[in-house]
Amino acid sequence: MANYILRRLAQAIPQLFIISVILFALMQGFGDPVATLGARTPPRQEDKERLRRMLGLDQPMYVQYLVWLIGNDWMKLDMDGDGVPETPGQRKGILRGDFGNSLVTRRPVLEMIADRLPNTLLLMLTAEAVIIVASLAIGIYSAARQYSLADNVITAFSFIGFSMPVFWLALTLMYIFAVNFKRWGLPYLPTVGMFDPAVGKTAGELARHLVLPVATLAIISIAGYSRFVRSSMLEVLNQDYIRTARAKGLTRSQALWRHALQNAALPFITIIGLDLPFLLAGAVVTERIFAWPGMGRLFIDHTERSDYPVLMGILMLIAAAVVVFQIITDVFYSFLDPRIRLA
Amino acid sequence: MADVAVPSPAALDSERLSVESMSLPRLALRRLFRRRSAVLGLVILGFLTLVAVFAPVIAPYDPELPLIGIEDVKKREAPCIHALGCPLDRPQHLLGTDGNVRDFFSRIVYGTQVSLFIGLTTVSASIVIGTVLGAVAGYLGGWTDNILMRLMDVVLAFPQLILAIAIVSMLGPGLQNALIAISLVSIPAYARVVRASVLSIREQDFVSAARALGASDAHILFQRILPNAITPLIVQATLGIASAILEAAALSFIGLGAQPPTPEWGSMLGAERNQVFTAPHLVFFPGIAIMLTVLGFNLLGDGLRDALDPRLAQSGVKVKA
């Protein structure tokens, strides 16, 4: 087992390296980051050149990539443009945990991500928990009562839920539970941010602000996932060993919970496991609508400014998480299903 | 969202009896029409196609023409329908007017053209590229396969929307670039489907026979193998159109896709999203239009999967005990 994990991790290194090279090359296609730095007054030409030199943007791409990867604290830089390198470099490179500094805010990228990641994880993990519980409950229920009225209604709703644009659902929920509830004098939900400045940072405030974005994310995913649970349950319920279990005297629900669920849960665990790393990326659209200060907004705000160190940091974090979670999912799966041997 | 089709025993018998005399495509078509969801999907898509084709006839106004000075209407006016009691001296706007005093109904109608165009072009582009890559990778195997599939893994290591946003930002906002971005990020799905089919088909006897007859690699791949790999591709493509339309709408909503004044549903919604409090009709109707279109493709795709799924066809239909 340890051998298997080590080998998978070793295979992941070239994969991440290739991803970083490709992404870095793509980043060169972005607009000139310096062009957007001058606020209202566009910077003068010589200021632009000085800025580029200070940010290392005047170097050829492979040098910039190497600096990003392994840093430049082992060489001297020519900061004043007189052709004589004299200033020692400061960067350590991503391999030593230095993700570089944002071109826009000048803050370390890692610090900016650390600011946003807890917010995103709070939002996404809450949503994911709701999704898992609700999809299992709905999926098992409708599989156990296949083609009943309830099953048909659930099917119809899941098709509609699955086809809804997430931004439309978000705005509709806002309209119902914030606008109209307020109008009708009911307890209404807040629509933007994580806290109400007038109330302060309390857990209750946070929970109230979580409801709408979590509901938005959950409703759409539950629609798809509950169908997935339903069809894997149905597949298992048609197997011979379920009939055997029933024949030896188990009740329907005993066969369902003791034998069917264990096997039907396996594919569900796989898709959840492969889903988890993407949670780091946050939800671009939902975070934007509900003004949730998470990773999705960080990503899109800095895409607009061509702030490539931030984008590289976020994307590499996601890629690394994807690789790690693929391994975790495979290992976990082999524990749950003894028929699978890791080789 | 695969479903196990369980027709009544009588239906099973009649199918078994008539199978012998029917060609495979006809059989699939018959199975398709027997599924209520697929028929509903076809009806929705047929309706939308008619709306798109006859948009100039249906829409009472030019979708991009502000009505300032032409009619006595203000911006973001609520829907005015004469049949529902709107005073007859007011100009009729079935879905009201938007922030630029344009007839919202006409914009929604013309949006059908844009959405169907988006769905069909992106998916055609990614199918062609994905099929070629997947077929070559699966047929040649070895290093070619390894390199191509590792490239696909790079794309799959990111959420589709994140990657699409990055690509559009690089190319510059606009509908055309959004289409390119969505096509690029959906290539791996098709490449994987085709590769898997090619891998299983290339080992079959009729392929060896073609090779023994001296057929070239290209002939075997494109004339013998690919026609047999097309079934899962059709299902994937239909569901792919649904997600491509959703993604394009999301990109437009953020402001990276279709630019005003193009009547694109996602960007119409994005432009008026802060008006959900004052003019909710400007937010609801484009969303419902997107949902209906996506629903049509999802229903059809689901029905196609049941009708074409070779596993169901081979193993017979399982009736629940």
Side-chain angles (χ1 to χ4, degrees):
Chain A
M1 181 61 71
N3 260 338
Y4 172 80
I5 296 174
L6 280 178
R7 204 175 61 242
R8 286 285 301 269
L9 282 174
Q11 283 169 353
I13 292 169
Q15 196 184 342
L16 287 174
F17 176 73
I18 294 169
I19 288 179
S20 75
V21 172
I22 293 178
L23 285 179
F24 205 88
L26 282 177
M27 296 291 160
Q28 307 304 308
F30 275 104
D32 182 5
V34 175
T36 58
L37 288 181
R40 274 176 189 281
T41 46
R44 287 173 302 169
Q45 191 55 38
E46 57 262 39
D47 288 341
K48 275 192 185 175
E49 267 161 32
R50 198 165 47 85
L51 259 175
R52 267 203 201 94
R53 213 161 41 232
M54 286 170 65
L55 296 170
L57 298 173
D58 57 335
Q59 303 291 323
M61 187 203 136
Y62 68 92
V63 176
Q64 289 190 41
Y65 177 76
L66 281 178
V67 170
W68 177 83
L69 189 71
I70 56 176
N72 59 6
D73 52 358
W74 40 271
M75 62 187 201
K76 287 200 186 316
L77 307 171
D78 174 22
M79 283 292 194
D80 46 13
D82 57 3
V84 188
E86 63 280 295
T87 321
Q90 303 275 324
R91 308 224 349 229
K92 287 205 181 75
I94 198 163
L95 290 181
R96 284 181 286 164
D98 176 10
F99 281 51
N101 291 344
S102 158
L103 299 178
V104 177
T105 65
R106 304 289 166 84
R107 288 179 59 207
V109 171
L110 213 50
E111 216 178 281
M112 296 172 69
I113 292 179
D115 274 355
R116 299 297 189 94
L117 198 56
N119 301 343
T120 273
L121 286 182
L122 176 68
L123 173 66
M124 301 302 277
L125 288 177
T126 314
E128 192 75 5
V130 175
I131 291 165
I132 293 174
V133 173
S135 318
L136 278 175
I138 297 173
I140 293 169
Y141 180 85
S142 44
R145 289 169 179 72
Q146 197 189 10
Y147 298 123
S148 67
L149 178 68
D151 179 35
N152 284 333
V153 171
I154 290 171
T155 302
F157 271 104
S158 58
F159 262 104
I160 293 172
F162 197 61
S163 308
M164 274 191 294
V166 63
F167 46 87
W168 182 76
L169 177 62
L171 290 169
T172 307
L173 290 178
M174 237 186 212
Y175 180 71
I176 298 172
F177 293 105
V179 184
N180 278 347
F181 268 43
K182 190 174 185 180
R183 198 176 290 159
W184 298 331
L186 292 168
Y188 58 94
L189 288 164
T191 55
V192 289
M194 295 176 68
F195 300 101
D196 186 346
V199 184
K201 297 190 173 187
T202 62
E205 265 306 288
L206 191 57
R208 260 162 47 84
H209 281 79
L210 263 174
V211 175
L212 285 184
V214 165
T216 305
L217 292 169
I219 288 174
I220 287 183
S221 294
I222 290 170
Y225 284 5
S226 62
R227 295 286 294 169
F228 186 84
V229 172
R230 176 182 180 272
S231 56
S232 25
M233 271 307 267
L234 284 177
E235 210 164 290
V236 173
L237 284 175
N238 282 321
Q239 300 286 325
D240 290 338
Y241 61 81
I242 297 295
R243 195 176 312 138
T244 312
R246 295 275 281 131
K248 72 174 189 181
L250 261 62
T251 64
R252 238 184 93 76
S253 65
Q254 276 174 327
L256 188 80
W257 293 105
R258 291 273 296 279
H259 296 266
L261 184 59
Q262 269 189 20
N263 290 290
L266 289 175
F268 189 59
I269 288 169
T270 312
I271 60 166
I272 294 291
L274 299 178
D275 234 22
L276 289 177
F278 284 178
L279 300 189
L280 292 183
V284 178
V285 176
T286 311
E287 286 180 6
R288 196 173 163 114
I289 292 177
F290 291 103
W292 192 266
M295 294 281 281
R297 268 181 75 205
L298 183 69
F299 180 81
I300 190 151
D301 288 348
H302 288 263
T303 315
E304 282 161 6
R305 306 291 297 273
S306 312
D307 192 354
Y308 78 86
V310 175
L311 306 185
M312 282 301 288
I314 296 175
L315 291 173
M316 287 315 292
L317 203 66
I318 300 172
V322 167
V323 169
V324 171
F325 272 90
Q326 267 167 1
I327 301 175
I328 293 177
T329 308
D330 286 350
V331 170
F332 194 59
Y333 203 98
S334 78
F335 275 118
L336 290 177
D337 188 348
R339 288 170 299 184
I340 290 170
R341 295 253 161 73
L342 298 177
Chain B
M1 307 220 299
D3 232 311
V4 186
V6 185
S8 67
L12 266 180
D13 278 343
S14 73
E15 183 163 316
R16 215 169 278 145
L17 286 176
S18 52
V19 157
E20 316 257 330
S21 59
M22 284 173 102
S23 67
L24 213 58
R26 266 199 70 192
L27 190 66
L29 214 59
R30 218 179 68 152
R31 282 220 202 93
L32 186 67
F33 278 112
R34 205 177 278 159
R35 292 203 59 83
R36 235 179 313 162
S37 65
V39 173
L40 185 60
L42 278 174
V43 169
I44 294 176
L45 293 180
F47 168 72
L48 290 171
T49 312
L50 287 178
V51 171
V53 171
F54 294 105
V57 184
I58 300 170
Y61 293 89
D62 179 341
E64 298 182 6
L65 174 76
L67 297 171
I68 311 168
I70 299 175
E71 264 181 7
D72 178 28
V73 284
K74 292 194 287 290
K75 65 177 181 182
R76 301 201 184 96
E77 248 178 41
C80 168
I81 305 167
H82 289 159
L84 294 180
C86 181
L88 284 175
D89 53 337
R90 305 276 313 143
Q92 169 160 284
H93 292 283
L94 294 178
L95 300 180
T97 53
D98 73 357
N100 288 317
V101 205
R102 292 173 294 207
D103 180 49
F104 211 55
F105 176 70
S106 305
R107 289 180 66 71
I108 297 267
V109 167
Y110 272 93
T112 319
Q113 292 181 341
V114 182
S115 258
L116 293 182
F117 172 78
I118 290 171
L120 296 176
T121 46
T122 50
V123 170
S124 321
S126 35
I127 280 187
V128 171
I129 302 173
T131 304
V132 171
L133 292 182
V136 169
Y139 187 71
L140 294 181
W143 273 107
T144 329
D145 184 27
N146 227 325
I147 291 173
L148 285 176
M149 285 301 124
R150 290 298 81 76
L151 270 178
M152 298 294 122
D153 284 348
V154 172
V155 178
L156 290 172
F158 301 101
Q160 287 206 339
L161 191 61
I162 290 272
L163 208 54
I165 289 174
I167 295 173
V168 177
S169 313
M170 204 182 74
L171 300 173
L175 184 56
Q176 193 189 334
N177 291 337
L179 298 185
I180 294 175
I182 294 169
S183 309
L184 283 177
V185 299
S186 28
I187 288 174
Y190 302 102
R192 286 192 148 192
V193 166
V194 172
R195 177 175 173 272
S197 314
V198 169
L199 278 181
S200 68
I201 295 169
R202 74 166 184 187
E203 303 302 334
Q204 293 189 10
D205 288 342
F206 72 90
V207 175
S208 315
R211 196 169 290 127
L213 288 169
S216 69
D217 275 350
H219 178 87
I220 293 175
L221 184 54
F222 290 103
Q223 300 288 320
R224 299 278 169 243
I225 295 183
L226 274 188
N228 287 291
I230 214 142
T231 308
L233 198 59
I234 292 176
V235 175
Q236 179 79 30
T238 315
L239 297 171
I241 295 177
S243 53
I245 291 176
L246 276 183
E247 264 165 41
L251 283 179
S252 298
F253 177 82
I254 303 174
L256 293 172
Q259 301 295 312
T262 312
E264 201 275 341
W265 295 330
S267 68
M268 282 157 67
L269 219 161
E272 304 286 355
R273 73 185 169 105
N274 291 328
Q275 258 58 52
V276 70
F277 309 103
T278 51
H281 63 280
L282 296 180
V283 169
F284 289 151
F285 293 119
I288 288 171
I290 297 172
M291 192 164 71
L292 191 68
T293 316
V294 174
L295 184 65
F297 283 108
N298 273 337
L299 286 172
L300 179 63
D302 196 64
L304 276 171
R305 171 158 37 204
D306 289 342
L308 300 175
D309 192 335
R311 271 186 314 163
L312 285 179
Q314 275 165 18
S315 61
V317 181
K318 277 182 185 148
V319 181
K320 208 176 97 191

